[in-house]
Amino acid sequence: MAHTLSADDIREEFSQAMSAMYQQEVPQYGTLLALVADVNLAVLENNTRLYEQLANADELARLNVERHGAIRVGTAQELATLCRMFAIMGMSPVGYYDLSVAGVPVHSTAFRPVEDAALQHNPFRIFTSLLRLELIDDPALRQKAAQILAQRDIFTPRCRALMDIHDEQGGLTAPQAQDFVREALETFRWHRHTTVDKETYQALHQQHRLIADVVCFPGCHINHLTPRTLDIDRAQELMSDYGIEPKAVIEGPPRRSVPLLLRQTSFKALEEPVQFAGESSGTHTARFGEIEQRGIALTPKGRALYDKLLSEAGVGKDNLSHQQHLQEVFKAFPDSEFLLRQQGLAWFRYRLTPIGDAHRQAIHPGDDPQPFIERGWVIAQPITYEDFLPVSAAGIFQSNLGGDGQTRTHGNASRDAFEAALGRQVLDEFSLYEEASLRSKRRCGLL
Ligand code: OOG
Ligand code: NI
C-alpha cells in the first residue's frame, strides 16, 4: 500500500490543529501562549546554563510545541474509542488517577507518547477523565444521565471509518491522516447548544457541576490546553498584567534549583453563553487556561517523600505564604542533582561525552556512573516528568468548580473498573522512567 504517515507526525498535526482551534474558541489561550513565550525567552536569555541543558537534552525544540489538554467523557464506549483514536497518534494511557477522593466524581488517565524519540518529537498529552455515574446518589437522575449519554455519538462517522481503515491497513496515508485529524478534532469542539433542556441541565448541575459538563453536550469539548513555562512564579506574577486572573496558589512543589515533578497554575473557568434545548438560554462554566512547569521525574522513593512533605505542608490561602511555607517544609528534600541521584530519589538519563566514548573499553556493566560523571566521561541528565499529580489535578478541578469544592460525592479507588472501560490496562509511569534510565545506562556500557 501507499506510504503511511508515522504516528508521531499524526500527533504533531493533531496537536497543532487542536491548539489552533482552541485559540479561536478561547482567545485568552492565545494571550497565555504569548505570556509563556515571553517568560521562556527571558529565562533562556538570562540563564545560559539552562539553555545548554535543555539543548543537550533535546528539549529546547519541543518546548514551543509542548501542550497538554484535558477532556471528560461519560461512558466506557467513549473512553475505549478515544483509546483507539489516541493510539493512532502514538499515545498510550499512562497512570491511573482517582479524583473521587477529592470530591470530583471522575477517574482518569493520561494519554501520551512513551518512547524517548516520540517524547522528543512532540510530548502531547491528554488528561482524560471518565465520569462515575455511580456517584450520582439519586437513582432516577443517574438513569436519566445514562440515557442521555447512550444517545450521543461523540465521534463523526468519517472518523470511525478512518479508524477502521487505519486498523485494516496498518496505517494512514498522508491524505487520510489529514482527513483523520480534521474529523478527530470535531470530537473536542465546543458546542453552544446543549442536548438537554434547562431543567435537566440544572438537575445534573445541582448534583455536581462536572456531571452537567459531561452529560449535557454533544461532544467532549477540550477544557484547557496548557503550555509549558520555564518559570511559573514569573508567569503567575505576570498573569494579571496580561489581563488574566490566576487561581490563588500554584499547585505542586515549591520553586527549587532542580525543579521537581510538576508545578501548575490556572485561570478560572469562563462563564459562557449556552442555548438549551427548548430555546431557553443560560451560561455554563467549563473551559479554563493553565500553565505548567515541568521538572525531574521521581523514583517511588522520591515520590513517597514528595507526597509526605506535600501533605505535611497542607494548602495555603495566598500564594506567597503558601510558597514560603512549602520552601520550609521541602528543605527535607535534597536539592542538587548529585544528591537526588546518590539517594535514588529521581531518574536520570546517562550519556557518554566524546571523551567518554573514546574510553568505552574502561566502562563496565555494573560500574557506578558517579566517578565517570566527575571525570567528564558521562553526563547525567534529569528525566522530565511527563505525567500528572492527583493532588494538583484535584486543585485545578476544584478551582474551576467555583471554589466551593462540592465534596458530597465519595467513592473508593476503582482502577479495575476504569481499565475494564478502557479495554486495556494503563501503563505504569514508574516503570517507564526506570526503563528509560536503564536503556540509557545500557547505551553507555554501564549495564
Ligand atoms: C482536568 C484537570 C486536571 C491537570 O493538569 O492536572 C489537569 C480537568 O479539569 O478535566 O488537567
Ligand atoms: Ni491540566
Side-chain angles (χ1 to χ4, degrees):
M1 67 163 288
H3 180 69
T4 58
L5 218 61
S6 73
D8 284 349
D9 286 333
I10 302 177
R11 180 174 68 262
E12 171 85 9
E13 294 279 318
F14 182 76
S15 77
Q16 280 175 15
M18 184 86 112
S19 185
M21 179 176 84
Y22 200 58
Q23 212 163 329
Q24 276 198 335
E25 289 184 350
V26 178
Q28 289 95 322
Y29 167 64
T31 312
L32 213 58
L33 291 185
L35 185 158
V36 168
D38 289 350
V39 169
N40 289 357
L41 198 66
V43 170
L44 291 172
E45 269 174 8
N46 291 321
N47 190 340
T48 41
R49 197 180 110 74
L50 181 65
Y51 181 92
E52 276 163 26
Q53 224 177 29
L54 289 171
N56 284 337
D58 294 320
E59 288 221 15
L60 213 49
R62 79 174 221 186
L63 190 65
N64 294 327
V65 295
E66 182 158 353
R67 306 274 183 273
H68 88 249
I71 52 172
R72 305 153 183 171
V73 293
T75 67
Q77 291 77 5
E78 289 174 354
L79 184 66
T81 309
L82 281 172
C83 191
R84 258 186 99 190
M85 178 194 270
F86 289 135
I88 296 174
M89 305 180 197
M91 296 154 77
S92 310
V94 180
Y96 172 75
Y97 305 87
D98 180 11
L99 278 312
S100 70
V101 289
V104 184
V106 302
H107 44 181
S108 320
T109 190
F111 288 96
R112 67 165 177 88
V114 295
E115 305 290 337
D116 295 343
L119 285 164
Q120 237 168 59
H121 189 86
N122 186 325
F124 190 55
R125 322 166 177 85
I126 296 281
F127 191 88
T128 303
S129 300
L130 174 65
L131 183 62
R132 299 179 66 179
L133 279 180
E134 72 272 20
L135 298 180
I136 299 184
D137 30 55
D138 172 355
L141 194 62
R142 191 186 320 139
Q143 204 188 352
K144 181 151 197 186
Q147 267 167 8
I148 299 166
L149 287 168
Q151 278 165 14
R152 75 177 185 185
D153 188 354
I154 62 172
F155 305 96
T156 68
R158 179 77 186 136
C159 184
R160 287 183 176 279
L162 283 160
M163 288 194 269
D164 291 341
I165 292 171
H166 175 277
D167 294 353
E168 281 155 25
Q169 287 182 167
L172 294 174
T173 63
Q176 286 169 343
Q178 251 181 14
D179 219 12
F180 170 70
V181 165
R182 195 173 47 241
E183 294 291 330
L185 206 57
E186 290 307 308
T187 298
F188 308 101
R189 188 179 291 287
W190 172 249
H191 297 271
R192 287 186 56 135
H193 289 85
T194 66
T195 53
V196 303
D197 58 28
K198 193 167 190 166
E199 291 63 45
T200 309
Y201 175 90
Q202 280 170 342
L204 291 166
H205 191 276
Q206 178 72 18
Q207 185 75 75
H208 198 292
R209 278 181 198 224
L210 212 73
I211 298 175
D213 183 56
V214 176
V215 175
C216 302
F217 294 87
C220 62
H221 41 257
I222 176 98
N223 66 49
H224 66 284
L225 211 50
T226 302
R228 176 176 167 193
T229 183
L230 297 172
D231 186 347
I232 199 162
D233 300 290
R234 186 80 188 122
Q236 172 95 356
E237 256 171 47
L238 283 179
M239 270 161 93
S240 56
D241 291 358
Y242 282 70
I244 301 172
E245 164 145 30
K247 83 190 269 297
V249 298
I250 298 175
E251 299 286 344
R255 188 181 185 90
R256 314 266 302 172
S257 57
V258 182
L260 295 181
L261 296 171
L262 177 64
R263 303 181 68 204
Q264 295 171 297
T265 184
S266 62
F267 67 74
K268 297 258 168 72
L270 312 167
E271 191 167 308
E272 301 180 90
V274 289
Q275 203 69 41
F276 298 108
E279 294 307 297
S280 57
S281 56
T283 60
H284 179 67
T285 48
R287 300 189 301 164
F288 60 98
E290 186 189 51
I291 300 177
E292 67 183 16
Q293 179 173 1
R294 290 194 173 260
I296 194 167
L298 299 182
T299 61
K301 181 181 170 196
R303 179 55 185 268
L305 181 57
Y306 169 79
D307 286 337
K308 176 176 161 278
L309 296 179
L310 193 75
S311 85
E312 251 173 60
V315 196
K317 283 265 176 273
D318 74 286
N319 193 45
L320 198 67
S321 58
H322 179 56
Q323 294 304 324
Q324 273 166 358
H325 180 55
L326 276 179
Q327 290 278 3
E328 272 311 303
V329 175
F330 272 76
K331 282 196 172 140
F333 208 117
D335 192 17
S336 76
E337 290 185 12
F338 171 71
L339 289 173
L340 291 171
R341 233 177 17 245
Q342 194 202 36
Q343 297 184 21
L345 295 168
W347 298 112
F348 290 83
R349 192 175 270 127
Y350 299 87
R351 277 193 186 189
L352 288 182
T353 61
I355 312 171
D357 201 31
H359 290 86
R360 247 178 189 283
Q361 74 294 345
I363 300 175
H364 301 106
D367 282 352
D368 176 6
Q370 190 56 32
F372 300 123
I373 294 170
E374 283 161 21
R375 222 176 290 166
W377 292 9
V378 169
I379 292 175
Q381 291 162 337
I383 295 184
T384 300
Y385 188 60
E386 305 286 352
D387 294 289
F388 295 85
L389 296 169
V391 176
S392 301
I396 299 279
F397 266 113
Q398 295 297 7
S399 82
N400 287 294
L401 295 172
D404 61 351
Q406 302 163 326
T407 47
R408 282 171 299 123
T409 50
H410 51 83
N412 297 322
S414 185
R415 186 187 180 128
D416 290 348
F418 184 83
E419 290 181 332
L422 185 66
R424 58 166 286 181
Q425 290 190 324
V426 298
L427 299 174
D428 174 49
E429 64 269 36
F430 289 108
S431 315
L432 293 173
Y433 297 117
E434 181 171 23
E435 282 159 21
S437 179
L438 293 178
R439 269 197 306 274
S440 75
K441 278 191 168 175
R442 225 168 272 130
R443 280 196 298 267
C444 296
L446 288 159
L447 268 187

